[in-house]
PDB file of all heavy atoms in Angstrom:
ATOM      1  N   ALA S  24       0.811  -1.219   0.000  1.00  0.00           N
ATOM      2  CA  ALA S  24       0.000   0.000   0.000  1.00  0.00           C
ATOM      3  C   ALA S  24       0.846   1.272   0.000  1.00  0.00           C
ATOM      4  O   ALA S  24       0.548   2.223  -0.728  1.00  0.00           O
ATOM      5  CB  ALA S  24      -0.929   0.005   1.216  1.00  0.00           C
ATOM      6  N   GLU S  25       1.903   1.318   0.804  1.00  0.00           N
ATOM      7  CA  GLU S  25       2.730   2.512   0.919  1.00  0.00           C
ATOM      8  C   GLU S  25       3.971   2.452   0.041  1.00  0.00           C
ATOM      9  O   GLU S  25       4.413   3.476  -0.484  1.00  0.00           O
ATOM     10  CB  GLU S  25       3.166   2.718   2.371  1.00  0.00           C
ATOM     11  CG  GLU S  25       2.019   2.891   3.363  1.00  0.00           C
ATOM     12  CD  GLU S  25       2.516   2.934   4.792  1.00  0.00           C
ATOM     13  OE1 GLU S  25       3.571   3.568   5.049  1.00  0.00           O
ATOM     14  OE2 GLU S  25       1.868   2.313   5.666  1.00  0.00           O
ATOM     15  N   GLY S  26       4.516   1.253  -0.116  1.00  0.00           N
ATOM     16  CA  GLY S  26       5.747   1.104  -0.882  1.00  0.00           C
ATOM     17  C   GLY S  26       5.547   0.824  -2.350  1.00  0.00           C
ATOM     18  O   GLY S  26       6.505   0.879  -3.128  1.00  0.00           O
ATOM     19  N   GLY S  27       4.332   0.516  -2.759  1.00  0.00           N
ATOM     20  CA  GLY S  27       4.062   0.276  -4.167  1.00  0.00           C
ATOM     21  C   GLY S  27       4.532  -1.065  -4.689  1.00  0.00           C
ATOM     22  O   GLY S  27       4.553  -1.292  -5.902  1.00  0.00           O
ATOM     23  N   ALA S  28       4.932  -1.970  -3.795  1.00  0.00           N
ATOM     24  CA  ALA S  28       5.387  -3.290  -4.235  1.00  0.00           C
ATOM     25  C   ALA S  28       4.213  -4.125  -4.733  1.00  0.00           C
ATOM     26  O   ALA S  28       3.075  -3.955  -4.295  1.00  0.00           O
ATOM     27  CB  ALA S  28       6.096  -4.010  -3.096  1.00  0.00           C
ATOM     28  N   GLU S  29       4.509  -5.040  -5.644  1.00  0.00           N
ATOM     29  CA  GLU S  29       3.495  -5.979  -6.124  1.00  0.00           C
ATOM     30  C   GLU S  29       3.546  -7.280  -5.357  1.00  0.00           C
ATOM     31  O   GLU S  29       2.605  -8.083  -5.402  1.00  0.00           O
ATOM     32  CB  GLU S  29       3.722  -6.269  -7.609  1.00  0.00           C
ATOM     33  CG  GLU S  29       3.603  -5.057  -8.497  1.00  0.00           C
ATOM     34  CD  GLU S  29       4.116  -5.351  -9.896  1.00  0.00           C
ATOM     35  OE1 GLU S  29       3.495  -6.184 -10.591  1.00  0.00           O
ATOM     36  OE2 GLU S  29       5.140  -4.764 -10.294  1.00  0.00           O
ATOM     37  N   ALA S  30       4.655  -7.521  -4.688  1.00  0.00           N
ATOM     38  CA  ALA S  30       4.848  -8.754  -3.937  1.00  0.00           C
ATOM     39  C   ALA S  30       5.897  -8.505  -2.877  1.00  0.00           C
ATOM     40  O   ALA S  30       6.633  -7.517  -2.922  1.00  0.00           O
ATOM     41  CB  ALA S  30       5.287  -9.882  -4.869  1.00  0.00           C
ATOM     42  N   VAL S  31       5.980  -9.411  -1.911  1.00  0.00           N
ATOM     43  CA  VAL S  31       7.001  -9.322  -0.876  1.00  0.00           C
ATOM     44  C   VAL S  31       7.848 -10.586  -0.898  1.00  0.00           C
ATOM     45  O   VAL S  31       7.411 -11.636  -1.372  1.00  0.00           O
ATOM     46  CB  VAL S  31       6.389  -9.124   0.525  1.00  0.00           C
ATOM     47  CG1 VAL S  31       5.593  -7.827   0.580  1.00  0.00           C
ATOM     48  CG2 VAL S  31       5.500 -10.318   0.922  1.00  0.00           C
ATOM     49  N   LYS S  32       9.064 -10.466  -0.403  1.00  0.00           N
ATOM     50  CA  LYS S  32       9.953 -11.627  -0.284  1.00  0.00           C
ATOM     51  C   LYS S  32      10.336 -11.802   1.172  1.00  0.00           C
ATOM     52  O   LYS S  32      10.648 -10.818   1.857  1.00  0.00           O
ATOM     53  CB  LYS S  32      11.213 -11.454  -1.126  1.00  0.00           C
ATOM     54  CG  LYS S  32      12.179 -12.650  -1.031  1.00  0.00           C
ATOM     55  CD  LYS S  32      13.347 -12.518  -1.984  1.00  0.00           C
ATOM     56  CE  LYS S  32      14.362 -11.503  -1.543  1.00  0.00           C
ATOM     57  NZ  LYS S  32      15.026 -11.891  -0.256  1.00  0.00           N
ATOM     58  N   LEU S  33      10.295 -13.024   1.635  1.00  0.00           N
ATOM     59  CA  LEU S  33      10.733 -13.290   3.003  1.00  0.00           C
ATOM     60  C   LEU S  33      11.628 -14.521   3.034  1.00  0.00           C
ATOM     61  O   LEU S  33      11.533 -15.412   2.200  1.00  0.00           O
ATOM     62  CB  LEU S  33       9.555 -13.430   3.967  1.00  0.00           C
ATOM     63  CG  LEU S  33       8.504 -14.528   3.747  1.00  0.00           C
ATOM     64  CD1 LEU S  33       8.976 -15.870   4.282  1.00  0.00           C
ATOM     65  CD2 LEU S  33       7.195 -14.135   4.414  1.00  0.00           C
ATOM     66  N   GLU S  34      12.531 -14.537   3.995  1.00  0.00           N
ATOM     67  CA  GLU S  34      13.511 -15.600   4.121  1.00  0.00           C
ATOM     68  C   GLU S  34      13.005 -16.690   5.060  1.00  0.00           C
ATOM     69  O   GLU S  34      12.313 -16.405   6.028  1.00  0.00           O
ATOM     70  CB  GLU S  34      14.831 -15.044   4.657  1.00  0.00           C
ATOM     71  CG  GLU S  34      15.460 -13.983   3.776  1.00  0.00           C
ATOM     72  CD  GLU S  34      16.728 -13.400   4.382  1.00  0.00           C
ATOM     73  OE1 GLU S  34      17.213 -13.936   5.402  1.00  0.00           O
ATOM     74  OE2 GLU S  34      17.245 -12.404   3.841  1.00  0.00           O
ATOM     75  N   GLY S  35      13.401 -17.923   4.774  1.00  0.00           N
ATOM     76  CA  GLY S  35      13.076 -19.020   5.675  1.00  0.00           C
ATOM     77  C   GLY S  35      12.394 -20.172   4.975  1.00  0.00           C
ATOM     78  O   GLY S  35      11.872 -20.024   3.866  1.00  0.00           O
ATOM     79  N   GLY S  36      12.403 -21.332   5.638  1.00  0.00           N
ATOM     80  CA  GLY S  36      11.861 -22.545   5.048  1.00  0.00           C
ATOM     81  C   GLY S  36      10.473 -22.894   5.521  1.00  0.00           C
ATOM     82  O   GLY S  36       9.626 -22.015   5.737  1.00  0.00           O
ATOM     83  N   ALA S  37      10.245 -24.177   5.706  1.00  0.00           N
ATOM     84  CA  ALA S  37       8.916 -24.692   6.020  1.00  0.00           C
ATOM     85  C   ALA S  37       8.341 -24.085   7.290  1.00  0.00           C
ATOM     86  O   ALA S  37       7.114 -24.007   7.446  1.00  0.00           O
ATOM     87  CB  ALA S  37       8.981 -26.218   6.152  1.00  0.00           C
ATOM     88  N   GLU S  38       9.215 -23.648   8.212  1.00  0.00           N
ATOM     89  CA  GLU S  38       8.737 -23.085   9.475  1.00  0.00           C
ATOM     90  C   GLU S  38       7.912 -21.820   9.277  1.00  0.00           C
ATOM     91  O   GLU S  38       7.180 -21.410  10.179  1.00  0.00           O
ATOM     92  CB  GLU S  38       9.914 -22.804  10.413  1.00  0.00           C
ATOM     93  CG  GLU S  38      10.850 -21.691   9.981  1.00  0.00           C
ATOM     94  CD  GLU S  38      11.971 -22.158   9.065  1.00  0.00           C
ATOM     95  OE1 GLU S  38      11.823 -23.243   8.451  1.00  0.00           O
ATOM     96  OE2 GLU S  38      12.990 -21.447   8.956  1.00  0.00           O
ATOM     97  N   PHE S  39       8.016 -21.202   8.095  1.00  0.00           N
ATOM     98  CA  PHE S  39       7.239 -19.994   7.821  1.00  0.00           C
ATOM     99  C   PHE S  39       6.052 -20.260   6.893  1.00  0.00           C
ATOM    100  O   PHE S  39       5.466 -19.328   6.339  1.00  0.00           O
ATOM    101  CB  PHE S  39       8.139 -18.910   7.230  1.00  0.00           C
ATOM    102  CG  PHE S  39       9.104 -18.334   8.220  1.00  0.00           C
ATOM    103  CD1 PHE S  39      10.441 -18.682   8.193  1.00  0.00           C
ATOM    104  CD2 PHE S  39       8.661 -17.468   9.215  1.00  0.00           C
ATOM    105  CE1 PHE S  39      11.327 -18.171   9.117  1.00  0.00           C
ATOM    106  CE2 PHE S  39       9.547 -16.945  10.152  1.00  0.00           C
ATOM    107  CZ  PHE S  39      10.890 -17.306  10.103  1.00  0.00           C
ATOM    108  N   GLY S  40       5.690 -21.524   6.756  1.00  0.00           N
ATOM    109  CA  GLY S  40       4.573 -21.875   5.884  1.00  0.00           C
ATOM    110  C   GLY S  40       3.274 -21.197   6.271  1.00  0.00           C
ATOM    111  O   GLY S  40       2.544 -20.667   5.415  1.00  0.00           O
ATOM    112  N   ASP S  41       2.953 -21.204   7.569  1.00  0.00           N
ATOM    113  CA  ASP S  41       1.704 -20.590   8.020  1.00  0.00           C
ATOM    114  C   ASP S  41       1.708 -19.078   7.797  1.00  0.00           C
ATOM    115  O   ASP S  41       0.678 -18.496   7.425  1.00  0.00           O
ATOM    116  CB  ASP S  41       1.478 -20.892   9.507  1.00  0.00           C
ATOM    117  CG  ASP S  41       1.133 -22.355   9.755  1.00  0.00           C
ATOM    118  OD1 ASP S  41       0.705 -23.021   8.785  1.00  0.00           O
ATOM    119  OD2 ASP S  41       1.316 -22.816  10.899  1.00  0.00           O
ATOM    120  N   VAL S  42       2.851 -18.444   8.024  1.00  0.00           N
ATOM    121  CA  VAL S  42       2.964 -17.005   7.796  1.00  0.00           C
ATOM    122  C   VAL S  42       2.726 -16.692   6.320  1.00  0.00           C
ATOM    123  O   VAL S  42       1.993 -15.744   5.976  1.00  0.00           O
ATOM    124  CB  VAL S  42       4.352 -16.497   8.238  1.00  0.00           C
ATOM    125  CG1 VAL S  42       4.564 -15.049   7.783  1.00  0.00           C
ATOM    126  CG2 VAL S  42       4.505 -16.614   9.743  1.00  0.00           C
ATOM    127  N   ILE S  43       3.320 -17.481   5.445  1.00  0.00           N
ATOM    128  CA  ILE S  43       3.158 -17.265   3.998  1.00  0.00           C
ATOM    129  C   ILE S  43       1.703 -17.445   3.598  1.00  0.00           C
ATOM    130  O   ILE S  43       1.148 -16.640   2.829  1.00  0.00           O
ATOM    131  CB  ILE S  43       4.071 -18.225   3.219  1.00  0.00           C
ATOM    132  CG1 ILE S  43       5.532 -17.830   3.435  1.00  0.00           C
ATOM    133  CG2 ILE S  43       3.733 -18.218   1.729  1.00  0.00           C
ATOM    134  CD1 ILE S  43       6.534 -18.856   2.967  1.00  0.00           C
ATOM    135  N   ARG S  44       1.068 -18.466   4.120  1.00  0.00           N
ATOM    136  CA  ARG S  44      -0.355 -18.699   3.795  1.00  0.00           C
ATOM    137  C   ARG S  44      -1.211 -17.512   4.202  1.00  0.00           C
ATOM    138  O   ARG S  44      -2.109 -17.098   3.460  1.00  0.00           O
ATOM    139  CB  ARG S  44      -0.844 -19.966   4.489  1.00  0.00           C
ATOM    140  CG  ARG S  44      -0.274 -21.259   3.924  1.00  0.00           C
ATOM    141  CD  ARG S  44      -0.918 -22.477   4.572  1.00  0.00           C
ATOM    142  NE  ARG S  44      -0.311 -23.696   4.095  1.00  0.00           N
ATOM    143  CZ  ARG S  44       0.743 -24.298   4.662  1.00  0.00           C
ATOM    144  NH1 ARG S  44       1.292 -23.765   5.755  1.00  0.00           N
ATOM    145  NH2 ARG S  44       1.248 -25.396   4.152  1.00  0.00           N
ATOM    146  N   ARG S  45      -0.942 -16.959   5.371  1.00  0.00           N
ATOM    147  CA  ARG S  45      -1.722 -15.817   5.844  1.00  0.00           C
ATOM    148  C   ARG S  45      -1.520 -14.599   4.953  1.00  0.00           C
ATOM    149  O   ARG S  45      -2.476 -13.882   4.629  1.00  0.00           O
ATOM    150  CB  ARG S  45      -1.331 -15.492   7.284  1.00  0.00           C
ATOM    151  CG  ARG S  45      -1.902 -16.442   8.329  1.00  0.00           C
ATOM    152  CD  ARG S  45      -3.389 -16.179   8.567  1.00  0.00           C
ATOM    153  NE  ARG S  45      -3.621 -14.784   8.942  1.00  0.00           N
ATOM    154  CZ  ARG S  45      -3.456 -14.294  10.178  1.00  0.00           C
ATOM    155  NH1 ARG S  45      -3.053 -15.076  11.163  1.00  0.00           N
ATOM    156  NH2 ARG S  45      -3.708 -13.029  10.429  1.00  0.00           N
ATOM    157  N   ILE S  46      -0.274 -14.342   4.565  1.00  0.00           N
ATOM    158  CA  ILE S  46      -0.004 -13.185   3.717  1.00  0.00           C
ATOM    159  C   ILE S  46      -0.664 -13.359   2.351  1.00  0.00           C
ATOM    160  O   ILE S  46      -1.284 -12.428   1.821  1.00  0.00           O
ATOM    161  CB  ILE S  46       1.518 -12.970   3.560  1.00  0.00           C
ATOM    162  CG1 ILE S  46       2.149 -12.633   4.910  1.00  0.00           C
ATOM    163  CG2 ILE S  46       1.800 -11.840   2.563  1.00  0.00           C
ATOM    164  CD1 ILE S  46       3.658 -12.553   4.878  1.00  0.00           C
ATOM    165  N   VAL S  47      -0.545 -14.536   1.780  1.00  0.00           N
ATOM    166  CA  VAL S  47      -1.157 -14.806   0.473  1.00  0.00           C
ATOM    167  C   VAL S  47      -2.670 -14.695   0.572  1.00  0.00           C
ATOM    168  O   VAL S  47      -3.332 -14.152  -0.323  1.00  0.00           O
ATOM    169  CB  VAL S  47      -0.730 -16.192  -0.038  1.00  0.00           C
ATOM    170  CG1 VAL S  47      -1.507 -16.572  -1.295  1.00  0.00           C
ATOM    171  CG2 VAL S  47       0.770 -16.228  -0.317  1.00  0.00           C
ATOM    172  N   ARG S  48      -3.229 -15.201   1.666  1.00  0.00           N
ATOM    173  CA  ARG S  48      -4.675 -15.133   1.860  1.00  0.00           C
ATOM    174  C   ARG S  48      -5.143 -13.686   1.938  1.00  0.00           C
ATOM    175  O   ARG S  48      -6.270 -13.354   1.546  1.00  0.00           O
ATOM    176  CB  ARG S  48      -5.062 -15.882   3.140  1.00  0.00           C
ATOM    177  CG  ARG S  48      -6.564 -16.146   3.279  1.00  0.00           C
ATOM    178  CD  ARG S  48      -6.859 -16.843   4.601  1.00  0.00           C
ATOM    179  NE  ARG S  48      -6.005 -18.018   4.767  1.00  0.00           N
ATOM    180  CZ  ARG S  48      -5.566 -18.465   5.944  1.00  0.00           C
ATOM    181  NH1 ARG S  48      -5.883 -17.824   7.062  1.00  0.00           N
ATOM    182  NH2 ARG S  48      -4.815 -19.538   6.006  1.00  0.00           N
ATOM    183  N   ALA S  49      -4.265 -12.810   2.419  1.00  0.00           N
ATOM    184  CA  ALA S  49      -4.604 -11.386   2.518  1.00  0.00           C
ATOM    185  C   ALA S  49      -4.479 -10.675   1.174  1.00  0.00           C
ATOM    186  O   ALA S  49      -4.789  -9.483   1.076  1.00  0.00           O
ATOM    187  CB  ALA S  49      -3.697 -10.706   3.545  1.00  0.00           C
ATOM    188  N   GLY S  50      -4.025 -11.383   0.156  1.00  0.00           N
ATOM    189  CA  GLY S  50      -3.978 -10.811  -1.185  1.00  0.00           C
ATOM    190  C   GLY S  50      -2.619 -10.324  -1.631  1.00  0.00           C
ATOM    191  O   GLY S  50      -2.513  -9.650  -2.663  1.00  0.00           O
ATOM    192  N   VAL S  51      -1.561 -10.661  -0.884  1.00  0.00           N
ATOM    193  CA  VAL S  51      -0.209 -10.220  -1.230  1.00  0.00           C
ATOM    194  C   VAL S  51       0.619 -11.416  -1.689  1.00  0.00           C
ATOM    195  O   VAL S  51       0.837 -12.343  -0.910  1.00  0.00           O
ATOM    196  CB  VAL S  51       0.487  -9.545  -0.034  1.00  0.00           C
ATOM    197  CG1 VAL S  51       1.912  -9.119  -0.405  1.00  0.00           C
ATOM    198  CG2 VAL S  51      -0.327  -8.348   0.443  1.00  0.00           C
ATOM    199  N   PRO S  52       1.098 -11.431  -2.929  1.00  0.00           N
ATOM    200  CA  PRO S  52       1.944 -12.528  -3.394  1.00  0.00           C
ATOM    201  C   PRO S  52       3.255 -12.579  -2.616  1.00  0.00           C
ATOM    202  O   PRO S  52       3.804 -11.537  -2.240  1.00  0.00           O
ATOM    203  CB  PRO S  52       2.190 -12.194  -4.868  1.00  0.00           C
ATOM    204  CG  PRO S  52       1.068 -11.277  -5.249  1.00  0.00           C
ATOM    205  CD  PRO S  52       0.786 -10.483  -4.016  1.00  0.00           C
ATOM    206  N   VAL S  53       3.766 -13.787  -2.407  1.00  0.00           N
ATOM    207  CA  VAL S  53       4.989 -13.968  -1.627  1.00  0.00           C
ATOM    208  C   VAL S  53       6.031 -14.730  -2.442  1.00  0.00           C
ATOM    209  O   VAL S  53       5.749 -15.787  -2.999  1.00  0.00           O
ATOM    210  CB  VAL S  53       4.712 -14.736  -0.320  1.00  0.00           C
ATOM    211  CG1 VAL S  53       6.027 -14.991   0.436  1.00  0.00           C
ATOM    212  CG2 VAL S  53       3.742 -13.969   0.570  1.00  0.00           C
ATOM    213  N   MET S  54       7.229 -14.166  -2.479  1.00  0.00           N
ATOM    214  CA  MET S  54       8.393 -14.850  -3.032  1.00  0.00           C
ATOM    215  C   MET S  54       9.191 -15.409  -1.862  1.00  0.00           C
ATOM    216  O   MET S  54       9.509 -14.685  -0.918  1.00  0.00           O
ATOM    217  CB  MET S  54       9.252 -13.870  -3.844  1.00  0.00           C
ATOM    218  CG  MET S  54      10.519 -14.465  -4.431  1.00  0.00           C
ATOM    219  SD  MET S  54      11.488 -13.245  -5.393  1.00  0.00           S
ATOM    220  CE  MET S  54      10.467 -13.101  -6.872  1.00  0.00           C
ATOM    221  N   GLY S  55       9.518 -16.693  -1.919  1.00  0.00           N
ATOM    222  CA  GLY S  55      10.300 -17.307  -0.853  1.00  0.00           C
ATOM    223  C   GLY S  55      11.790 -17.110  -1.065  1.00  0.00           C
ATOM    224  O   GLY S  55      12.236 -16.635  -2.111  1.00  0.00           O
ATOM    225  N   HIS S  56      12.585 -17.481  -0.062  1.00  0.00           N
ATOM    226  CA  HIS S  56      14.036 -17.314  -0.126  1.00  0.00           C
ATOM    227  C   HIS S  56      14.672 -18.331   0.812  1.00  0.00           C
ATOM    228  O   HIS S  56      14.501 -18.263   2.032  1.00  0.00           O
ATOM    229  CB  HIS S  56      14.395 -15.886   0.298  1.00  0.00           C
ATOM    230  CG  HIS S  56      15.856 -15.573   0.221  1.00  0.00           C
ATOM    231  ND1 HIS S  56      16.330 -14.277   0.168  1.00  0.00           N
ATOM    232  CD2 HIS S  56      16.959 -16.354   0.188  1.00  0.00           C
ATOM    233  CE1 HIS S  56      17.654 -14.285   0.107  1.00  0.00           C
ATOM    234  NE2 HIS S  56      18.062 -15.552   0.136  1.00  0.00           N
ATOM    235  N   ILE S  57      15.407 -19.297   0.235  1.00  0.00           N
ATOM    236  CA  ILE S  57      16.059 -20.328   1.032  1.00  0.00           C
ATOM    237  C   ILE S  57      17.511 -20.479   0.594  1.00  0.00           C
ATOM    238  O   ILE S  57      17.957 -19.870  -0.375  1.00  0.00           O
ATOM    239  CB  ILE S  57      15.321 -21.683   0.943  1.00  0.00           C
ATOM    240  CG1 ILE S  57      15.206 -22.147  -0.507  1.00  0.00           C
ATOM    241  CG2 ILE S  57      13.955 -21.596   1.604  1.00  0.00           C
ATOM    242  CD1 ILE S  57      14.581 -23.540  -0.653  1.00  0.00           C
ATOM    243  N   GLY S  58      18.228 -21.347   1.299  1.00  0.00           N
ATOM    244  CA  GLY S  58      19.661 -21.482   1.084  1.00  0.00           C
ATOM    245  C   GLY S  58      20.361 -20.597   2.091  1.00  0.00           C
ATOM    246  O   GLY S  58      20.106 -20.670   3.300  1.00  0.00           O
TER     247      GLY S  58
END
């Protein structure tokens, strides 16, 4: 809304699955980041 991004990226693996689901459910696409 403020930054004008179309999607967000967050770091972490399976432990952030629920967080990603919530963000996606809110209408914000999520790019993952592992390694």
